[in-house]
Amino acid sequence: MHDQYDGIVLGTGHNALVLLAYLARSGLRVLAVERSDVIGGGLATEENPRSPGFFHNTHSFFHRALTVMPWYRDLELERHGAKYIEPDFNVALILPDGRALEWWTASEKTIDSFAEFSKKDAERLRYWIDEFRPIVERVLRPEAQSAPISPRLRGQLLARSPLGRKLLDVAARSPLEFVEQEFEHDVIRAGLLFFNGLREIDLRLKGFGHSIPALLAGKHMAQMCLGGSARLAQALADDIREHGGEIRTHLEPASILVRRGKAAGIELTNGERIMAKAFVASGLNPQQTFIQMLDAKATTSRVRNRAEAFQYNLLAPLFALNLALHEPPRYKAAERRPELNNALMVILGLERFAQFHEIVAAHEAGEIPATKVMWGACPTLFDPGQAPPGKHTAFMWEKVPYSLRGSPQNWDIEKGGHGQTLLRLWSQFAPNLSPDIVIDSFTRSPLDTERRLPNMRSGDLLVGSLGNDQVGYNRPFAGAGQYRTPVRGLYLCGASTHPGGNITGLCGYNAASAIAADLELPIWWNPPQFDKE
Ligand SMILES: Cc1cc2nc3c(=O)[nH]c(=O)nc-3n(C[C@H](O)[C@H](O)[C@H](O)COP(=O)(O)OP(=O)(O)OC[C@H]3O[C@@H](n4cnc5c(N)ncnc54)[C@H](O)[C@@H]3O)c2cc1C
């Protein structure tokens, strides 16, 4: 027997850290247990051991609207050293002919860029930004920041107001239908679907037609953490420790202990037991939590079957090429428009709407897509400290299948060569990326992602697909969708809960409210209310 805590959290992904921080501030004695030797999960910044001084954000880099997340403010993360920037020129889709579709933080500039391709589409963009901004502010944002309500009640509440009815109407379409019906230009359609793809929503799925206008209308765009994404995890850990919380790394939980029907602690693979008086919260996926770590007798076969059936997204996995450079990429297209060298996110190879169908077909066949679409950044343009003085880091990501030609292991053989293929394509757009300026490079495959973060099963970086039966109230599955599970005292707090993956911290934030309510702790923060009007 080791020690007794009020609560134990499994994993130290950012959602788990957010949860831990709120409950530590509520006065509970809490502990997080992490299998890796570093904390933060997807908040990873790694120094390349072959090229010291070059830091690479090997998982997440683009943190959308992070500084307006309620926990960023409540946990005083800037006092703990987190600092974000949101570059004005946020995204550039650079075409082979040198033109570019641009997204700026100032929507008028984005509308101007759309107008260069289609005046009609520029007007539609303006229309959808105006239409959806109040829906984002008054419905979607508060909804993401609170526990989900049942689909029936949600439908009834939304049907009561004009904003809600508009949302339901647009949502009834699929993202593909939304784009086809609302926009005409091939490049603009392709660009809009790309953003939908980043959220991993199946383009063909009805019920998600609102996802694109919601992205267009959001006030904030991609932000980056100065010092690297891991700096945010360090800031969260600082807050946890300041309030008495503990984090232990390099420990693998083997099982969740259940006593008299209630989660009572964990047993580690080394045999050590750590007890929890009030709760155990899992930041892991449903299979890890319910099948691997929970004794079959602790729950019903129905719950185990539902956990086992939790689906991962075929289209989610990423291949990453990371470079250490003597100079930043200089795009050919910037000769005409110099600003293009300074966009935060650069998208290359995307020029046709139909490429999405080709990419989906390649994923379904377990092949690397012949059509090459990739996106990335040169972080050191904005934060020189991530490389030695005068040097740079840059990366490109591509969506690829997890299982390559029948086996994920094939990535270990093919990843080096595939990295070179991406570099060749990149250098067609940025000719200065010659062997002379590339100091070092390394790749990461979907299999590497899963090895590093086993909760991202099949390399699914959003930890579970967003289908109609795995969203909101039913995420991860019916009966475990409000952070509470069928086992008393056992909670979920990772990306397999509402509102899902990406660096939002909202799964952990909402789980903190659920646990605090069950333990009758005073809520010292101010959770937003779902706008019922
Ligand atoms: C290549 C890549 C690029 C990405 N880019 C972006 C981006 O730009 N923007 C964005 O918003 N999102 C991005 N993501 C997605 C984002 O990183 C994830 O959705 C997010 O990290 C999920 O957060 P989480 O809190 O659920 O836990 P995770 O970040 O997944 O962390 C889970 C933690 O649990 C630990 N763990 C796993 N199994 C066990 C176990 N058995 N016992 C104990 N601990 C365990 C892991 O080591 C890890 O620390 C990216 C992901 C990848 C892989």
Side-chain angles (χ1 to χ4, degrees):
M1 191 72 76
H2 186 267
D3 209 345
Q4 175 127 346
Y5 290 84
D6 292 312
I8 298 172
V9 182
L10 305 182
T12 61
H14 76 295
N15 282 303
L17 294 175
V18 167
L19 167 68
L20 206 68
Y22 274 86
L23 297 182
R25 279 177 176 246
S26 294
L28 296 190
R29 184 161 182 239
V30 284
L31 167 75
V33 177
E34 166 61 51
R35 73 187 277 279
S36 159
D37 51 358
V38 284
I39 62 160
L43 295 175
T45 306
E46 294 174 48
E47 186 171 17
N48 181 350
R50 285 194 310 253
S51 301
F54 289 90
F55 293 88
H56 301 270
N57 298 288
T58 45
H59 289 122
S60 73
F61 175 70
F62 305 106
H63 295 171
R64 192 179 165 95
L66 195 115
T67 54
V68 291
M69 295 299 168
W71 50 271
Y72 186 79
R73 178 198 58 226
D74 288 347
L75 303 174
E76 303 173 279
L77 294 177
E78 291 194 353
R79 179 169 68 76
H80 293 294
K83 193 162 184 345
Y84 272 81
I85 56 166
E86 184 175 336
D88 293 344
F89 190 178
N90 213 260
V91 183
L93 191 175
I94 301 180
L95 296 165
D97 66 9
R99 289 178 304 154
L101 184 62
E102 303 175 354
W103 277 263
W104 292 77
T105 51
S107 50
E108 281 307 321
K109 289 176 109 170
T110 309
I111 292 169
D112 287 348
S113 173
F114 272 50
E116 285 181 26
F117 291 83
S118 158
K119 297 230 170 349
K120 193 166 156 229
D121 284 356
E123 281 319 305
R124 288 318 276 165
L125 175 63
R126 185 191 302 284
Y127 170 83
W128 282 109
I129 292 174
D130 292 346
E131 279 291 296
F132 251 65
R133 192 149 277 176
I135 295 178
V136 170
E137 296 296 318
R138 293 187 53 201
V139 185
L140 294 172
R141 186 133 64 92
E143 212 179 14
Q145 296 178 2
S146 22
I149 55 176
S150 79
R152 214 172 118 252
L153 178 60
R154 179 176 186 267
Q156 285 168 358
L157 288 174
L158 290 176
R160 278 191 205 161
S161 72
L163 282 187
R165 285 194 293 276
K166 178 98 203 171
L167 173 59
L168 288 174
D169 182 47
V170 178
R173 310 186 214 177
S174 71
L176 195 60
E177 285 168 341
F178 175 83
V179 167
E180 281 177 331
Q181 290 162 8
E182 300 297 331
F183 294 90
E184 62 175 19
H185 197 284
D186 210 30
V187 169
I188 289 176
R189 285 175 162 190
L192 292 175
L193 284 182
F194 173 83
F195 283 104
N196 184 74
L198 287 186
R199 299 271 134 182
E200 315 303 348
I201 293 163
D202 187 327
L203 306 175
R204 302 156 294 191
L205 212 56
K206 285 189 189 291
F208 294 92
H210 62 293
S211 72
I212 291 175
L215 284 169
L216 295 174
K219 266 195 202 146
H220 288 276
M221 304 184 83
Q223 303 179 331
M224 66 173 272
C225 190
L226 297 183
S229 300
R231 193 69 202 82
L232 179 63
Q234 287 154 16
L236 283 162
D238 273 4
D239 192 65
I240 290 163
R241 293 195 179 106
E242 185 177 287
H243 293 89
E246 294 172 47
I247 299 172
R248 292 176 66 192
T249 56
H250 223 86
L251 288 178
E252 187 121 16
S255 59
I256 297 167
L257 303 171
V258 177
R259 299 281 179 269
R260 288 185 286 279
K262 180 176 178 296
I266 58 171
E267 183 165 314
L268 304 176
T269 48
N270 64 12
E272 183 185 351
R273 288 182 167 203
I274 312 176
M275 305 312 287
K277 279 187 278 191
F279 73 91
V280 173
S282 170
L284 312 182
N285 70 33
Q287 286 89 354
Q288 289 174 303
T289 308
F290 293 98
I291 312 290
Q292 288 172 22
M293 296 199 189
L294 213 50
D295 190 280
K297 288 195 223 90
T299 182
T300 62
S301 56
R302 189 179 158 91
V303 168
R304 287 172 66 82
N305 290 342
R306 284 182 170 171
E308 190 57 69
F310 185 69
Q311 299 282 313
Y312 294 85
N313 191 338
L314 189 73
L315 280 175
L318 291 185
F319 182 92
L321 169 66
N322 298 283
L323 301 180
L325 297 170
H326 284 299
E327 59 185 49
R330 298 198 206 288
Y331 291 97
K332 230 177 353 192
E335 288 163 14
R336 192 173 64 92
R337 184 152 170 72
E339 291 94 326
L340 288 173
N341 278 335
N342 297 315
L344 175 64
M345 182 195 293
V346 173
I347 308 169
L348 303 175
L350 179 61
E351 49 185 325
R352 290 177 294 116
F353 183 52
Q355 284 170 286
F356 283 94
H357 301 296
E358 295 159 22
I359 292 171
V360 171
H363 278 245
E364 285 171 352
E367 296 289 345
I368 297 174
T371 186
K372 289 265 157 293
V373 175
M374 55 190 197
W375 72 103
C378 177
T380 42
L381 286 173
F382 308 92
D383 186 13
Q386 294 192 35
K391 307 294 178 198
H392 288 271
T393 62
F395 66 89
M396 276 288 157
W397 293 334
E398 182 196 10
K399 277 183 182 289
V400 294
Y402 168 72
S403 183
L404 180 60
R405 289 188 269 290
S407 168
Q409 316 299 330
N410 284 336
W411 277 117
D412 289 342
I413 305 161
E414 299 212 16
K415 65 181 185 179
H418 188 60
Q420 289 309 309
T421 305
L422 291 194
L423 182 55
R424 273 195 300 279
L425 176 66
W426 197 351
S427 64
Q428 286 168 18
F429 287 87
N432 72 324
L433 288 182
S434 67
D436 294 347
I437 76 142
V438 179
I439 300 166
D440 198 356
S441 69
F442 65 92
T443 58
R444 290 283 163 85
S445 73
L447 182 60
D448 295 327
T449 297
E450 187 189 53
R451 281 179 182 137
R452 184 71 188 251
L453 303 175
N455 54 312
M456 293 187 182
R457 194 153 144 172
S458 305
D460 179 352
L461 51 100
L462 299 190
V463 200
S465 58
L466 285 173
N468 280 316
D469 51 351
Q470 289 194 174
V471 286
Y473 197 68
N474 293 327
R475 186 170 177 86
F477 54 84
Q482 292 203 305
Y483 313 101
R484 299 174 178 93
T485 74
V487 178
R488 204 155 39 93
L490 176 62
Y491 296 82
L492 299 177
C493 66
S496 59
T497 63
H498 168 79
N502 280 323
I503 304 300
T504 70
L506 295 175
C507 309
Y509 175 76
N510 295 341
S513 290
I515 296 174
D518 289 357
L519 300 182
E520 298 179 5
L521 302 173
I523 308 273
W524 54 264
W525 61 99
N526 189 16
Q529 295 302 310
F530 182 46
D531 191 341
K532 298 189 175 61
E533 301 308 313

